[in-house]
Structures are given as structure tokens and as C-alpha cells.
């Protein structure tokens, strides 16, 4: 059973998602505004959050930023704003995926499964990835270089882990978008360039 938190101010959408996901056997909590959503995220410790951007009290991107300050819980943004600029902002702020309204519950459920498949799994023998002086712990999401800890955002970590795990291979921009941002058909490739430029400053 997956614990899902829905933060959505539209009552009809909120109820439809809760009903559809509950019928699939999931445990669903709901909030109608940003502050309630943040509070529930801390109280309920969900496996994933569905977050609307157009909330009545706090902008959804601000909610996402505040959530990222205290949690690495996967977040799927759900919004009516269908433009590259908003998509890039949401992904750069720490969203794991992006779904545009209107959508069906089946689509959202599939996105949830895809995002959770990529979430780090505890207790495996492959938790630690060593590459030269770089050490990456995929379970705790901790990174160090020559023994010095590195502070990375969620997406910076995911991109670094992808590149380190594929050391010696050519990784295309499309592969990066598909693996890290769940955007297999492009549309947000500028954000890849930005993240690569940040990682290049690590000098590993």
C-alpha cells in the first residue's frame, strides 16, 4: 500500500483522485491548501505527494521549496499550467514529475508507480557507489568527494548518481531527461545544461 498525500484546492479534482487511488488500494490523505499540505506531509510521512501549483494560500512552487527543505519525499506536480517555463521551474524546484490537467486517475497512478520505482531502496548491497574520490550513498543520498561532504539538491544528486553509475558510457541529454526528470520526449533540456554546469564546479 502506497501512502499518498494530495494537496489540491479544487474539491472535485481532489475527491476524484482520492476516490480513484483509494479504489486501487492506496492510503490517501488530502489537503486543500499549502500550509495544511506541509503540515500533513510532516505528520503522515507519505511515500509520495501530488501537489497543485495554484493553491489559495501559498504558491505551489513555494510549498515545494519549503517541503524540499525538510524532506526528500517524491513530488508530482499537478497543474493546469502547460508551458515550458513553468515545467522547468517546478522540476528545478525539486519536483520529480509533472502532470497537466485535465488528466485521468490511470495516468496519475502510472506516474506514481514510475516515480516510486526510481526512489532509492534501503538495505541493498549496492547502496555505496565509489568512483575515484567520489563516494555516493544511494540510500541516504549522501555524497562526499575526497572525504569532504557535498551539499546537493535532489536533482543534482539524481543527475550525479546517473552519470557516476554510467561512468565510461555516453549519456545523452534525452537519457538524462528520461531518467532524472521523467521527461523522455524532451521539452525541458535547458534545465539539464544548468544542472550539468553546477555539477562541473565540483571538480571530481
Amino acid at each position: 500500500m502506497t501512502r499518498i498525500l494530495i494537496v489540491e484546492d479544487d474539491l472535485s479534482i481532489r475527491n476524484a483522485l482520492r476516490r480513484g487511488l483509494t479504489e486501487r488500494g492506496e492510503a490517501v490523505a488530502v489537503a486543500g491548501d499549502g500550509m495544511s499540505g506541509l503540515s500533513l506531509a510532516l505528520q503522515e510521512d507519505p511515500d509520495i505527494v501530488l501537489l497543485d501549483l495554484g493553491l489559495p494560500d501559498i504558491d505551489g512552487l513555494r510549498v515545494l521549496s519549503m517541503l524540499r527543505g525538510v524532506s526528500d519525499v517524491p513530488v508530482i506536480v499537478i497543474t493546469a499550467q502547460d508551458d515550458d517555463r513553468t515545467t522547468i521551474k517546478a522540476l528545478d524546484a525539486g519536483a520529480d514529475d509533472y502532470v497537466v490537467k485535465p488528466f485521468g486517475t490511470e495516468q496519475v497512478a502510472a506516474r506514481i508507480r514510475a516515480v516510486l520505482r526510481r526512489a532509492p531502496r534501503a538495505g541493498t548491497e549496492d547502496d555505496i557507489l565509489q568512483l575515484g574520490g567520489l563516494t555516493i550513498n544511494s540510500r541516504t543520498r549522501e555524497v562526499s568527494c575526497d572525504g569532504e561532504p557535498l551539499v546537493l539538491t535532489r536533482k543534482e544528486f539524481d543527475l550525479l548518481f546517473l552519470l557516476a553509475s554510467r561512468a565510461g558510457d555516453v549519456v545523452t541529454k534525452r537519457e538524462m531527461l528520461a531518467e532524472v526528470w521523467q521527461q523522455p520526449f524532451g521539452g525541458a533540456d535547458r534545465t539539464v545544461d544548468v544542472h550539468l554546469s553546477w555539477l562541473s564546479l565540483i571538480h571530481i
Side-chain angles (χ1 to χ4, degrees):
M1 178 185 295
T2 303
R3 296 167 298 170
I4 303 169
L5 171 61
I6 301 170
V7 185
E8 165 65 63
D9 68 317
D10 187 306
L11 182 61
S12 61
I13 294 176
R14 190 166 72 236
N15 286 343
L17 279 173
R18 174 167 55 181
R19 181 172 58 253
L21 294 171
T22 300
E23 289 174 351
R24 287 167 174 78
E26 314 298 4
V28 181
V30 298
D33 58 72
M35 290 305 298
S36 298
L38 286 169
S39 178
L40 276 176
L42 296 177
Q43 294 174 16
E44 301 292 333
D45 189 25
D47 297 310
I48 195 165
V49 176
L50 305 180
L51 175 64
D52 181 31
L53 293 187
L55 297 171
D57 56 343
I58 308 176
D59 178 77
L61 290 177
R62 177 61 178 159
V63 173
L64 179 56
S65 177
M66 295 169 69
L67 182 60
R68 278 290 164 261
V70 295
S71 174
D72 275 334
V73 61
V75 175
I76 298 177
V77 164
I78 51 177
T79 181
Q81 301 180 48
D82 185 15
D83 62 272
D84 283 353
R85 184 176 181 182
T86 302
T87 303
I88 292 170
K89 283 184 177 181
L91 295 173
D92 282 346
D96 295 88
D97 203 353
Y98 192 100
V99 182
V100 178
K101 302 174 185 177
F103 49 73
T105 305
E106 287 288 350
Q107 179 189 2
V108 175
R111 296 290 187 115
I112 290 172
R113 291 193 297 271
V115 168
L116 290 180
R117 278 198 299 269
R118 295 195 49 77
R121 291 171 291 181
T124 70
E125 296 180 356
D126 299 322
D127 285 345
I128 305 298
L129 176 62
Q130 191 79 42
L131 184 64
L134 182 69
T135 303
I136 303 175
N137 188 315
S138 63
R139 179 176 60 84
T140 63
R141 301 180 70 85
E142 295 175 325
V143 181
S144 64
C145 185
D146 295 328
E148 293 296 322
L150 301 178
V151 179
L152 303 177
T153 67
R154 184 179 182 84
K155 291 303 181 186
E156 288 168 356
F157 176 90
D158 291 342
L159 182 57
L160 179 62
F161 182 77
L162 170 65
L163 296 175
S165 63
R166 296 275 300 276
D169 296 337
V170 174
V171 183
T172 67
K173 188 175 293 186
R174 172 165 289 188
E175 288 178 295
M176 295 179 202
L177 284 167
E179 293 292 325
V180 178
W181 285 272
Q182 289 78 52
Q183 298 288 323
F185 304 110
D189 56 330
R190 283 173 291 172
T191 198
V192 175
D193 296 331
V194 173
H195 282 76
L196 286 173
S197 68
W198 290 339
L199 290 180
S200 70
L201 299 177
I202 296 176
H203 301 300
I204 57 176

